[in-house]
Amino acid sequence: MFQSFENRADPSQGRPRLSALRSIMEKEGLNGFLVPRADAHQGEYCAPHDERLSWLTGFTGSAGFCAVLNEKAGVFIDGRYRTQVKEQVDLAVFTPVPWPEVKLKDWLAEALPKGGVIGYDAWLHTASEIEDLEEALASRGFTFHPTTNLVDKIWPDQPAPPQGPITPYPEALAGESHVSKRARIAKTLQAANQSATVLTLPDSIAWLLNIRGSDIPRNPVPHSFAILFATGQLTLFVAPEKTSDELRAHLGPDITLRPPSAFLPALHSLQGTVRIDAKTAPVKLSLELAESHATPAWGDDPCILPKARKTKAEIAGTQEAHLRDAAAMVEFLAWFDAQPAGTLTEIDVVTKLEETRRNSGALLDISFETIAGTGPHGAIMHYRVTRETDAPLKDGQIIVLDSGGQYLDGTTDITRTLPVGQVGEEETTAFTRVLQGMIGISRLRFPQGLAGRDLDAIARYPLWLAGLDFNHGTGHGVGVYLCVHEGPQRLSRVSEVPLEAGMILSNEPGYYREGAFGIRLENLIVVQEAAELSGADDRPMFDFLTLTFVPLDLRLIRADMLSTGERAWLNAYHAACYEKVAPRLSHDAQMWLSRATQAI
């Protein structure tokens, strides 16, 4: 299996490891040290070598950081992880801090009112992050000091850096050659009078060069750095062990391969104006560029937006991947419904779902660790079942099942909430409100130029009417056989990036009652130009094309709560599920799908 069920969180190790870190901090003359969940590439997911936050604290979430002081250690986590963190860290020595409501600069100012020297690894923090801290706390006497990573010094069995092979990605699926992409990005550099740009994000480099890697579990990206010049030529800094004759032939003569050790010297040799993304590049780069003859120009990674605007080939491939994945999901759901209540556990569910995906013959990996939380576990938004936490599915509970697959032609991400036996009215009412939010986004038509923050409330409105809400964004961007979480597009109250045609997003409202149950529903959608309407204003508008076609459980829906429009959308969606997916199914699953998509 791709997924394993070992317990990676060990709160019992937090106290001795924290003590060891504080000892070395004292030797280094530091009053604090920052431990982010980040690597030098600032990706959301890390290789085992870079899981410093998890090793130190026990917290395994995909976002967060720890600020270690002499007397306090704060673990900063957002709303997705506030239940999880309490179960994974030793609360006697680590204090969960609600972030971003509580800013690190404010926490430090209160914890160290007389100032102090805070150490940090310059490879693991962005330039904007450190600059903001320095500006906010300089008047209070704080100094931020780059140093070697202190966690690495006390981690005796730290895994080696990953050395996964890099492979070409088919141009037919990408929809554009890497020669064309490089020329396109080079023109943006020329227009800005910039001689080069430094690329550090693995998915940007993978997209630009039409390559994929295997350095990060669940995310097919390579660890590398690149310098793209305004001529369109590029130098790729990557371990030779990852390359092959096939890769070199794919890259061609305009791309030079150099080992990672040559990266910093190459920065020193740059001249002219060099673009660097202060929000994603490690501060180490700006420190090194300061010693060169180049002039840094702060600007967005020039690959981020072009990567987000999917080509027709990428959208077509993603649609096929989602239909293949939908067939696997329906085969699983038919099996699930055939099992008597009380006979399954969470691990049984995860194992069977991966099996049905594997049966397609096209699954290359899961796109993230499957979330299968029944009863109270469902309220832990990013719950990961282990052999120690594996719970039986009891009659009357609901289970949140959030999963996805990595296929060569697309990345999938789908959440369904399922009943186990007879479920109570409280759960079905909440489920219906979550469904109404998802339908609201699915039916939405909106003027071009709006950002995710302008749409997020649509998904929450039915919950707000009942005084309910959820502590995560409504949706994230998704790549094409790349990262399942992809920026810059989001459906979130904090996202200011205008949505554009071709952007893929998740549509996943939810509701979570700690200690009782959780609900989440998720489809993937893609932004497209909306069809013209008779009598409408002469203004360009977008709507969403649904990519996911798996039925929503009718047993959890209170039909009396749905409006006429919501009911019509649901019936049309279920009709499309049957039409598109039934031909791909076994006989038994096809019969199940026929019943699961009946009109209401």
Side-chain angles (χ1 to χ4, degrees):
M1 285 191 67
F2 289 119
Q3 184 150 336
S4 63
F5 304 105
E6 77 277 7
N7 184 7
R8 296 198 294 259
D10 187 359
S12 68
Q13 294 299 314
R15 187 183 295 269
R17 290 172 180 175
L18 187 59
S19 178
L21 179 58
R22 283 175 170 153
S23 294
I24 199 168
M25 284 166 50
E26 184 178 2
K27 293 177 183 178
E28 298 280 341
L30 299 174
N31 303 105
F33 187 72
L34 304 180
V35 184
R37 190 190 187 280
D39 57 24
H41 307 277
Q42 293 298 315
E44 179 180 355
Y45 298 97
C46 297
H49 170 79
D50 299 303
E51 291 278 7
R52 299 176 180 90
L53 179 65
S54 173
W55 181 84
L56 177 68
T57 68
F59 172 64
T60 63
S62 64
F65 58 93
C66 183
V68 178
L69 308 180
N70 295 329
E71 302 296 332
K72 299 178 68 174
V75 180
F76 291 70
I77 36 80
D78 63 35
R80 295 171 295 174
Y81 297 109
R82 288 173 191 167
T83 301
Q84 177 178 330
V85 71
K86 290 183 288 187
E87 298 182 357
Q88 291 190 319
V89 307
D90 183 347
L91 298 176
V93 294
F94 292 106
T95 302
V97 181
W99 176 85
E101 294 88 341
V102 176
K103 303 290 192 297
L104 174 60
K105 59 186 178 183
D106 298 326
W107 187 86
L108 288 173
E110 181 178 344
L112 289 174
K114 295 182 181 180
V117 180
I118 310 297
Y120 68 93
D121 183 341
W123 281 107
L124 305 185
H125 299 268
T126 66
S128 61
E129 181 184 354
I130 297 301
E131 181 180 329
D132 289 346
L133 288 171
E134 289 177 333
E135 290 181 357
L137 295 171
S139 63
R140 294 178 175 267
F142 281 81
T143 301
F144 289 86
H145 178 63
T147 182
T148 56
N149 198 291
L150 304 189
V151 174
D152 292 355
K153 291 186 175 183
I154 62 171
W155 191 350
D157 55 351
Q158 183 179 21
Q163 300 291 347
I166 301 174
T167 56
Y169 188 68
E171 184 180 324
L173 293 176
E176 184 180 10
S177 70
H178 70 80
V179 175
S180 172
K181 290 179 180 180
R182 285 187 287 111
R184 187 152 57 96
I185 303 302
K187 286 183 180 179
T188 67
L189 300 179
Q190 296 165 14
N193 293 317
Q194 295 168 346
S195 60
T197 184
V198 181
L199 302 176
T200 63
L201 293 176
D203 55 335
S204 287
I205 296 170
W207 171 85
L208 178 65
L209 300 181
N210 285 347
I211 58 176
R212 297 296 187 265
S214 51
D215 285 332
I216 304 294
R218 319 300 175 230
N219 294 270
V221 295
H223 272 174
S224 61
F225 295 103
I227 299 174
L228 174 66
F229 297 91
T231 60
Q233 294 176 310
L234 183 142
T235 302
L236 180 65
F237 301 89
V238 63
E241 296 85 351
K242 300 180 183 182
T243 65
S244 64
D245 290 341
E246 179 189 23
L247 177 67
R248 286 185 282 272
H250 164 76
L251 295 176
D254 288 336
I255 296 176
T256 302
L257 297 177
R258 304 280 305 278
S261 60
F263 181 49
L264 293 184
L267 293 180
H268 293 163
S269 69
L270 291 175
Q271 298 183 358
T273 302
V274 177
R275 180 186 292 201
I276 183 171
D277 190 338
K279 298 190 297 296
T280 62
V283 67
K284 179 71 172 177
L285 272 60
S286 56
L287 296 174
E288 297 291 333
L289 282 172
E291 300 179 7
S292 74
H293 296 290
T295 302
W298 303 115
D300 292 340
D301 177 331
C303 297
I304 287 180
L305 268 177
K307 172 169 58 68
R309 306 180 191 111
K310 309 308 179 197
T311 65
K312 291 181 180 179
E314 287 176 314
I315 293 173
T318 296
Q319 287 176 308
E320 173 59 28
H322 275 268
L323 292 177
R324 182 187 310 118
D325 198 70
M329 280 292 301
V330 171
E331 293 284 355
F332 163 80
L333 292 171
W335 169 87
F336 179 85
D337 269 5
Q339 312 308 308
T343 61
L344 298 177
T345 70
E346 293 165 334
I347 287 181
D348 293 333
V349 168
V350 174
T351 302
K352 182 63 178 183
L353 180 53
E354 185 171 319
E355 176 188 317
T356 61
R357 282 196 167 103
R358 283 179 175 274
N359 287 342
S360 71
L363 184 71
L364 300 177
D365 200 345
I366 52 177
S367 55
F368 55 95
E369 300 282 289
T370 297
I371 298 168
T374 187
H377 287 167
I380 303 173
M381 297 174 199
H382 282 217
Y383 170 73
R384 174 184 173 273
V385 60
T386 68
R387 300 201 184 279
E388 291 76 14
T389 66
D390 187 26
L393 278 57
K394 299 178 181 178
D395 191 12
Q397 289 184 339
I398 52 178
I399 179 171
V400 176
L401 184 58
D402 187 353
S403 67
Q406 290 282 16
Y407 304 95
L408 191 64
D409 48 4
T411 300
T412 69
D413 184 1
I414 175 175
T415 308
R416 290 295 182 263
T417 299
L418 310 173
V420 183
Q422 194 71 29
V423 174
E425 183 176 338
E426 184 179 26
E427 289 88 345
T428 57
T429 299
F431 180 96
T432 305
R433 291 190 182 279
V434 171
L435 173 62
Q436 287 175 307
M438 192 185 82
I439 292 174
I441 294 292
S442 302
R443 297 176 64 198
L444 194 59
R445 181 185 178 97
F446 58 98
Q448 294 183 19
L450 297 189
R453 68 177 184 185
D454 302 312
L455 310 183
D456 179 78
I458 301 295
R460 300 176 189 273
Y461 175 67
L463 289 163
W464 287 351
L465 289 176
L468 311 176
D469 203 354
F470 52 95
N471 292 329
H472 58 75
T474 297
H476 55 83
V478 181
V480 175
Y481 192 47
L482 278 173
C483 300
V484 73
H485 289 172
E486 176 183 272
Q489 71 276 22
R490 295 168 65 188
L491 291 176
S492 166
R493 64 187 69 181
V494 299
S495 178
E496 299 180 352
V497 177
L499 298 179
E500 299 186 43
M503 289 180 168
I504 298 175
L505 296 147
S506 67
N507 172 14
E508 51 177 312
Y511 177 67
Y512 311 89
R513 182 160 296 175
E514 186 172 349
F517 64 88
I519 297 165
R520 184 159 64 249
L521 297 173
E522 177 185 21
N523 282 350
L524 296 195
I525 52 180
V526 60
V527 183
Q528 64 178 3
E529 293 184 3
E532 294 184 3
L533 294 178
S534 176
D537 291 346
D538 183 19
R539 72 179 73 225
M541 301 193 79
F542 286 137
D543 61 11
F544 293 118
L545 174 69
T546 296
L547 297 172
T548 309
F549 290 96
V550 175
L552 300 146
D553 205 295
L554 296 174
R555 294 165 294 186
L556 292 173
I557 299 172
R558 285 192 52 186
D560 61 304
M561 291 175 59
L562 299 181
S563 69
T564 300
E566 290 166 342
R567 191 187 301 251
W569 182 91
L570 181 64
N571 287 337
Y573 175 72
H574 278 162
C577 288
Y578 186 82
E579 178 186 355
K580 294 175 180 293
V581 180
R584 299 169 178 258
L585 301 174
S586 65
H587 174 77
D588 288 348
Q590 193 175 85
M591 294 301 99
W592 179 92
L593 183 60
S594 177
R595 295 188 298 271
T597 55
Q598 291 296 309
I600 63 170

